[in-house]
């Protein structure tokens, strides 16, 4: 992921986004997004729905008529950050009583009416499947009512809504291919906040990729909580729903999107180790424009812990998947997610995680200490018994190890030439550009006459544990 995408990690500070409205009626919306890529992608759907209804977004919160916060519940501190921000917004409301404040996304779904009734912090609450109802909800608030819609759906995929692209770069975009999650990992709140898993019509996905390419975009990332269980026209048990229609699994979808244009790069997130098939890897190897990068969250390197986490795979299985990646796509970079201090984790089990990290030679990792979430399986079944200082010390240890592993992975690229898609100006200097190679390594290069959206061949000359630098060759 680029530096920019790494910023779009869970529980970062909110990002405000801006888009013109379509009717010019002049109502101003301040839309703030927290959480995962899925939430940022949803914000583009929200902006689209509201722009059709006359709302222009603004980056200046002081001129807003409506403030919407698209929130995340994944860890306690993600929610705390939203609450802090919410109380700041509430101070604005004292000066401007007509201001509408709404909570959307995962926290809205988790806390439902509590946010309105007990905490009295907001006027509007809308869950992830209720965004089509936002114009009505906002007008209910205008009429003096509190508005709430947290109904989860088994069908909603917003397939027909053309997202308003909020990323200013115009080179890379997210495409949601499915919603919800059926996995019930014991630590995770997502199945409760996002509901049942459902896949989006492949035609609408391919069409969205085509539209993006025509508008100059050069990279799409297909998004789902578990992309490997994408399925169209076939049930989980393998029964075909409509014999007249095509059956599409994730490998097939990936191929369809790759065929849109060889100049359109394709990425995806997140793969689940229990479901990732060789089929997907073979499809990746077959198409040059499917990037050589896999995010394969492991969470822990110990079988007992994985069992308590209800992840559905063993360390041996996970290593077999790593070996398959190395065999089929030898150049691939692999990244992961790790949780330290899960219920009952011993010092030895923590060491097992570090051993697995070394085996995998991860290029990047998102690392967290365990945060108990209400209603999850782990909250009901296990004691959150690892003291916070130990959770944090273990987190420090995995972070330090990861810095070494990242640096090692990047050092192996020095002296090699790779193709980089330029995304924008480097944050440090206007004389440099930033882009990524197929393996998702962030590469900084001299600006010269290149521009965002260009592909260039770069000789890697130097690196840190976060990025590489190089010069353009033979173009
Ligand atoms: N669907 C993705 C993960 C989505 S949540 C997958 O299955 O891989 C992103 C990451 O947040 C998870 O991979 C996990 O590492 C972390 N996470 C989820 N719940 C957590 C919790 N209760 N405490 C700490 N980290 C958590
Ligand atoms: Fe959460 Fe597991 Fe689903 Fe990922 S796969 S969203 S960790 S329940
Ligand atoms: Fe957070 Fe919801 Fe994503 S809990 S990580 S915003 S699915």
């Amino acid at each position: 992921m680029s530096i920019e995408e790494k910023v779009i990690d869970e529980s970062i500070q909110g990002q405000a986004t801006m888009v013109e409205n379509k009717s010019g009626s002049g109502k101003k919306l301040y839309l703030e997004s927290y959480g995962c890529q899925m939430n940022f992608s949803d914000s583009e759907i929200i902006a689209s729905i509201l722009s059709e209804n006359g709302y222009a977004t603004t980056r200046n919160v002081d001129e807003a008529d409506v403030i919407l916060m698209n929130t995340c519940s994944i860890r306690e501190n993600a929610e705390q950050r939203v609450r802090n921000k919410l109380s700041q917004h509430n101070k604005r409301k004292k000066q401007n009583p007509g201001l509408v404040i709404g909570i959307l996304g995962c926290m809205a779904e988790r806390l439902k009416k509590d946010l309105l009734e007990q905490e009295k912090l907001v006027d509007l609450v809308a869950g992830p499947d209720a965004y089509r109802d936002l114009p009505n909800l906002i007008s209910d608030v205008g009429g003096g009512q509190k508005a709430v819609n947290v109904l989860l759906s088994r069908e909603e995929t917003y397939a027909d809504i053309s997202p308003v692209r909020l990323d200013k770069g115009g080179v890379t975009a997210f495409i949601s291919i499915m919603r919800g999650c059926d996995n019930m990992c014991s630590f995770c709140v997502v199945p409760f906040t996002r509901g049942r898993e459902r896949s989006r019509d492949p035609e609408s996905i391919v069409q969205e990729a085509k539209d993006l390419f025509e508008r100059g975009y050069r990279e799409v990332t297909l998004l789902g909580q578990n992309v490997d269980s994408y399925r169209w026209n076939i049930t989980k048990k393998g029964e075909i729903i409509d014999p007249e229609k095509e059956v599409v699994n994730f490998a097939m979808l990936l191929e369809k999107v790759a065929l849109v244009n060889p100049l359109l790069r394709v990425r995806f997130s997140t793969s689940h180790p229990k479901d990732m098939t060789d089929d997907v890897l073979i499809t990746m190897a077959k198409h040059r424009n499917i990037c050589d990068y896999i995010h394969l969250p492991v969470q822990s390197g110990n079988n007992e812990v994985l069992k308590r986490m209800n992840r559905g795979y063993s360390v041996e299985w996970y290593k077999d998947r790593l070996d398959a990646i190395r065999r089929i796509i030898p150049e691939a970079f692999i990244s992961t997610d790790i949780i330290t201090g899960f219920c009952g984790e011993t010092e030895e089990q923590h060491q097992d995680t570090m051993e697995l990290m070394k085996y995998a030679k991860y290029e990047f990792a998102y690392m967290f200490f365990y945060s108990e979430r209400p209603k999850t399986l782990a909250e009901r079944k296990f004691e959150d018994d690892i003291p916070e200082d130990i959770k944090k010390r273990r987190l420090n240890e995995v972070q330090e190890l990861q810095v070494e592993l990242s640096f090692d992975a990047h050092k192996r690229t020095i002296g090699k030439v790779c193709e980089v898609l330029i995304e924008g100006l480097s944050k440090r200097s206007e004389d440099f550009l930033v882009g990524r190679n197929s393996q998702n390594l962030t590469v900084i290069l001299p600006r010269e006459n290149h521009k965002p959206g260009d592909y260039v061949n770069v000789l890697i000359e130097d690196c840190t544990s976060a990025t590489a630098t190089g010069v353009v060759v033979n173009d």
Side-chain angles (χ1 to χ4, degrees):
M1 290 185 199
S2 69
I3 295 169
E4 285 75 15
E5 266 186 71
K6 279 176 182 160
V7 170
I8 305 178
D9 176 27
E10 292 80 7
S11 64
I12 54 145
Q13 65 186 56
Q15 283 192 355
T17 44
M18 193 164 97
V19 58
E20 295 304 309
N21 72 326
K22 293 207 171 147
S23 70
S25 75
K27 285 263 181 192
K28 293 269 196 248
L29 162 70
Y30 184 80
L31 175 58
E32 207 169 48
S33 307
Y34 295 79
C36 63
Q37 294 168 338
M38 211 71 193
N39 247 21
F40 280 74
S41 169
D42 279 3
S43 287
E44 299 187 327
I45 289 166
I46 294 161
S48 172
I49 291 169
L50 287 172
S51 109
E52 293 288 342
N53 281 271
Y55 287 86
T57 45
T58 171
R59 280 210 194 90
N60 177 2
V61 65
D62 292 320
E63 64 175 26
D65 302 292
V66 178
I67 297 177
L68 297 179
M69 302 174 79
N70 192 8
T71 61
C72 174
S73 286
I74 199 82
R75 286 169 289 276
E76 171 84 49
N77 60 8
E79 291 200 354
Q80 198 46 51
R81 205 156 290 156
V82 170
R83 284 179 197 281
N84 295 345
K85 202 63 192 282
L86 194 53
S87 64
Q88 287 175 23
H89 290 327
N90 267 285
K91 286 189 194 127
R92 284 193 181 87
K93 198 174 162 84
K94 294 222 170 73
Q95 267 133 48
N96 173 9
L99 179 64
V100 175
I101 301 181
I103 292 273
L104 318 179
C106 291
M107 242 176 115
E109 195 61 52
R110 194 179 85 69
L111 295 164
K112 302 187 168 69
K113 282 193 205 140
D114 288 359
L115 285 163
L116 294 175
E117 288 169 2
Q118 290 172 14
E119 310 192 24
K120 300 197 191 321
L121 288 172
V122 296
D123 308 298
L124 180 159
V125 178
D129 289 342
Y131 298 147
R132 286 182 204 266
D133 200 21
L134 275 174
N136 295 330
L137 294 171
I138 295 174
S139 84
D140 284 352
V141 176
Q145 289 166 270
K146 298 273 177 186
V148 53
N149 184 344
V150 286
L151 288 177
L152 285 171
S153 154
R154 280 176 176 255
E155 283 94 35
E156 180 64 275
T157 59
Y158 300 109
D160 56 313
I161 293 182
S162 171
V164 169
R165 299 295 162 183
L166 298 170
D167 173 351
K168 299 168 294 305
V171 178
T172 66
F174 297 129
I175 302 183
S176 285
I177 63 164
M178 56 207 292
R179 299 182 71 80
C181 184
D182 285 351
N183 280 324
M184 300 303 263
C185 301
S186 66
F187 52 80
C188 184
V189 77
V190 172
F192 303 93
T193 62
R194 295 252 157 192
R196 299 304 297 270
E197 179 189 286
R198 68 220 94 127
S199 296
R200 176 178 165 191
D201 182 344
E203 282 311 306
S204 74
I205 297 169
V206 171
Q207 195 49 50
E208 195 171 322
K210 280 185 182 158
D211 289 347
L212 284 163
F213 185 78
E214 276 158 25
R215 284 160 51 201
Y217 284 81
R218 289 295 173 263
E219 182 180 297
V220 293
T221 302
L222 308 181
L223 291 182
Q225 293 297 353
N226 175 0
V227 291
D228 301 286
S229 68
Y230 176 89
R231 85 182 72 79
W232 184 251
N233 193 28
I234 187 163
T235 64
K236 256 190 189 164
K237 290 187 190 132
E239 293 145 357
I240 294 174
I241 298 164
D242 181 347
E244 305 282 301
K245 285 196 192 146
E246 194 185 10
V247 169
V248 182
N249 64 20
F250 182 59
M252 292 151 94
L253 177 73
L254 204 50
E255 177 147 76
K256 281 176 188 287
V257 180
L259 290 172
V260 164
N261 196 297
L263 288 176
L264 183 70
R265 273 189 178 174
V266 188
R267 299 185 187 275
F268 53 87
S269 188
T270 306
S271 305
H272 196 299
K274 81 176 161 64
D275 297 321
M276 194 194 66
T277 59
D278 284 4
D279 251 23
V280 169
L281 299 174
I282 292 163
T283 308
M284 290 172 76
K286 192 167 140 197
H287 295 277
R288 200 173 160 267
N289 57 330
I290 306 180
C291 292
D292 292 345
Y293 169 69
I294 296 194
H295 183 60
L296 197 65
V298 67
Q299 317 296 357
S300 163
N302 175 273
N303 279 338
E304 252 177 60
V305 178
L306 286 174
K307 194 148 197 259
R308 278 201 297 277
M309 288 179 162
N310 200 27
R311 284 290 285 180
Y313 54 85
S314 63
V315 172
E316 293 70 30
W317 174 275
Y318 187 88
K319 283 183 166 170
D320 173 73
R321 297 293 76 212
L322 291 174
D323 296 346
I325 299 170
R326 298 285 181 227
R327 188 172 63 243
I328 301 168
I329 322 163
E331 294 290 304
F333 272 1
I334 305 170
S335 61
T336 201
D337 292 349
I338 287 169
I339 299 178
T340 65
F342 184 63
C343 313
E345 186 190 66
T346 64
E347 220 44 55
E348 291 71 34
Q349 291 170 335
H350 163 61
Q351 290 301 327
D352 288 345
T353 299
M354 311 256 278
E355 285 310 310
L356 187 56
M357 289 170 73
K358 290 179 201 159
Y359 182 89
K361 299 190 173 78
Y362 294 119
E363 181 269 334
F364 183 79
Y366 294 102
M367 297 156 282
F368 315 99
F369 66 84
Y370 174 59
S371 161
E372 186 177 79
R373 306 312 290 131
K375 285 201 194 153
T376 55
L377 236 65
E379 190 240 7
R380 286 182 278 139
K381 273 175 65 178
F382 309 121
E383 197 190 334
D384 181 12
D385 55 355
I386 309 299
E388 188 149 313
D389 57 337
I390 296 184
K391 287 180 180 174
K392 286 186 175 164
R393 194 253 301 146
R394 291 181 188 167
L395 176 61
N396 260 324
E397 288 172 6
V398 298
Q399 283 170 334
E400 277 171 18
L401 173 59
Q402 188 51 50
V403 169
E404 282 174 36
L405 295 175
S406 299
F407 198 26
D408 286 347
H410 299 169
K411 274 191 278 197
R412 286 193 290 275
T413 66
I414 292 179
K416 292 189 182 162
V417 173
C418 58
E419 188 182 65
V420 172
L421 171 61
I422 297 174
E423 290 175 26
L425 283 179
S426 157
K427 280 185 192 142
R428 272 169 250 154
S429 157
E430 298 227 328
D431 298 333
F432 289 85
L433 295 167
V434 65
R436 279 172 296 158
N437 73 2
S438 168
Q439 282 87 348
N440 209 30
L441 174 62
T442 300
V443 179
I444 296 161
L445 52 126
R447 186 168 175 182
E448 293 164 348
N449 292 322
H450 311 294
K451 57 181 192 309
D454 287 351
Y455 285 101
V456 287
N457 290 322
V458 176
L459 171 67
I460 304 295
E461 294 184 323
D462 201 2
C463 70
T464 65
S465 61
T467 58
T469 47
V471 288
V472 177
V473 288
N474 39 305
D475 69 338

